[in-house]
Amino acid sequence: MNYRHSYHAGNFADVFKHVVMLELLHSLRQKESGFYYLETHAGRGCYDLSSVEAEKSKEYLTGIARVMTEPHPPSAMNTYLSVIKQLNPSSQIKRYPGSPYLARALLRPQDRMVLCELQTDEANALRHLFRQDKQISIHHQEGYLGLRAFIPPRERRGLVMIDPPYEKHDDMTQMAKRLADALTRWETGIYAIWYPIKDKQHRVRLHRDITDRIQRPLLAIDFCILPDDVPTFLNGCGMLIINPPWQMERTLTPTLAWLWHTLSVNQQGYYRLSSLT
């Protein structure tokens, strides 16, 4: 696998993904019983924005750096922004939290987290970041194997976060099969699948493949900062949520509206939430 997230940490896609993910975790905290968090492609957990990789692409400048300079963000982003401010005590943004770091901020004593990461250096960084944290177990293995190995959990409630690099041509096709298998073993969990939007036909195909195989409530969230018709460029991204929390469309829409106005390029693109059947 050649993908390295250090080049893209803190970009608009990260901001979108993490805001949606935290909203899902907040919904799980509404009940006292413990929840389970599984991430199949966890990365290194925290990223140095002054690294050679991040400085080469500078994608964070049009992502988290822009968000942090905007006044009056929605209250739904309070947790997200507070974690970033704790990581960056000065006014400069030098570190950006990955999904595991942000999710850890919402774990209560009764909750637990399982993280899978295939790349050796990323897995080692993850172990170092969460060393001696008994609520987190880290596995150096392929994420889709983890999807099968660590489901079902003992908890009835939880979130599975799936954010693969999409380096293989059939990744989106295989996704539907893997999700259908996971749901046969744990049908009460929430599953969140991040996907890139370059060619909109790939997104349509992913939605169709999943709706054909999975007979569960589905919420598709698309977030484009540019028109979605340039296949060679990341125009946007999306999250497909299986078993979405009640009223998530209503609670998330104002936040996405603010994010889109903040991050879109000259107000191009769009954001959209739609229920799929």
Side-chain angles (χ1 to χ4, degrees), residues 49-101:
L49 297 183
S50 64
S51 68
V52 172
E53 296 87 352
E55 282 298 324
K56 183 176 181 179
S57 65
K58 294 186 181 294
E59 290 186 20
Y60 67 91
L61 293 178
T62 54
I64 185 56
R66 185 173 294 175
V67 167
M68 297 300 288
T69 61
E70 287 293 313
H72 313 302
S75 59
M77 294 181 62
N78 285 349
T79 299
Y80 173 68
L81 295 175
S82 67
V83 172
I84 293 171
K85 289 174 183 177
Q86 289 169 11
L87 267 177
N88 300 277
S90 69
S91 58
Q92 287 187 308
I93 306 297
K94 292 295 185 182
R95 301 176 72 198
Y96 184 79
S99 303
Y101 195 105

Side-chain angles (χ1 to χ4, degrees), residues 1 4 38-44 114-128 136-147 149-150:
M1 187 165 63
R4 286 291 186 271
L38 168 64
E39 187 160 353
T40 59
H41 301 77
R44 66 189 299 113
V114 173
L115 304 172
C116 299
E117 175 53 47
L118 180 61
Q119 294 175 338
T120 300
D121 53 343
E122 303 289 271
N124 289 338
L126 204 57
R127 288 196 177 103
H128 180 74
I136 302 175
S137 60
I138 298 166
H139 302 269
H140 180 200
Q141 69 177 80
E142 204 275 331
Y144 292 127
L145 293 178
L147 188 63
F150 303 117

Side-chain angles (χ1 to χ4, degrees), residues 219-246:
L219 176 64
I221 309 172
D222 294 330
F223 187 86
C224 290
I225 62 170
L226 289 166
D228 60 358
D229 56 358
V230 185
T232 58
F233 194 74
L234 185 65
N235 310 300
C237 59
M239 290 272 275
L240 187 60
I241 301 171
I242 303 171
N243 296 327
W246 183 62

Side-chain angles (χ1 to χ4, degrees), residues 58-258:
K58 294 186 181 294
E59 290 186 20
Y60 67 91
L61 293 178
T62 54
I64 185 56
R66 185 173 294 175
V67 167
M68 297 300 288
T69 61
E70 287 293 313
H72 313 302
S75 59
M77 294 181 62
N78 285 349
T79 299
Y80 173 68
L81 295 175
S82 67
V83 172
I84 293 171
K85 289 174 183 177
Q86 289 169 11
L87 267 177
N88 300 277
S90 69
S91 58
Q92 287 187 308
I93 306 297
K94 292 295 185 182
R95 301 176 72 198
Y96 184 79
S99 303
Y101 195 105
L102 287 161
R104 181 64 184 91
L106 289 184
L107 289 193
R108 305 162 300 178
Q110 65 268 41
D111 307 321
R112 68 186 180 105
M113 181 190 300
V114 173
L115 304 172
C116 299
E117 175 53 47
L118 180 61
Q119 294 175 338
T120 300
D121 53 343
E122 303 289 271
N124 289 338
L126 204 57
R127 288 196 177 103
H128 180 74
L129 181 65
F130 294 120
R131 58 192 180 278
Q132 300 180 344
D133 192 325
K134 295 183 179 179
Q135 286 182 255
I136 302 175
S137 60
I138 298 166
H139 302 269
H140 180 200
Q141 69 177 80
E142 204 275 331
Y144 292 127
L145 293 178
L147 188 63
R148 185 162 186 84
F150 303 117
I151 289 179
R154 61 177 180 266
E155 297 88 351
R156 283 188 53 81
R157 304 182 311 114
L159 171 62
V160 178
M161 186 73 188
I162 305 173
D163 178 16
Y166 293 105
E167 289 186 317
K168 299 178 181 177
H169 73 279
D170 64 342
D171 267 346
M172 287 191 173
T173 302
Q174 292 299 317
M175 181 74 71
K177 296 178 182 178
R178 291 167 175 135
L179 287 168
D181 175 68
L183 278 161
T184 62
R185 289 176 285 113
W186 193 40
E187 64 177 10
T188 58
I190 301 170
Y191 297 77
I193 304 95
W194 182 92
Y195 52 88
I197 298 177
K198 295 182 179 180
D199 180 348
K200 60 184 176 183
Q201 293 305 316
H202 287 130
R203 175 194 59 199
V204 171
R205 192 176 305 120
L206 173 65
H207 289 182
R208 185 191 63 224
D209 289 345
I210 289 179
T211 53
D212 285 349
R213 286 178 174 270
I214 294 171
Q215 304 302 312
R216 302 292 300 176
L218 294 163
L219 176 64
I221 309 172
D222 294 330
F223 187 86
C224 290
I225 62 170
L226 289 166
D228 60 358
D229 56 358
V230 185
T232 58
F233 194 74
L234 185 65
N235 310 300
C237 59
M239 290 272 275
L240 187 60
I241 301 171
I242 303 171
N243 296 327
W246 183 62
Q247 292 192 332
M248 186 171 183
E249 288 182 64
R250 182 180 65 82
T251 57
L252 195 55
T253 295
T255 305
L256 290 181
W258 184 89

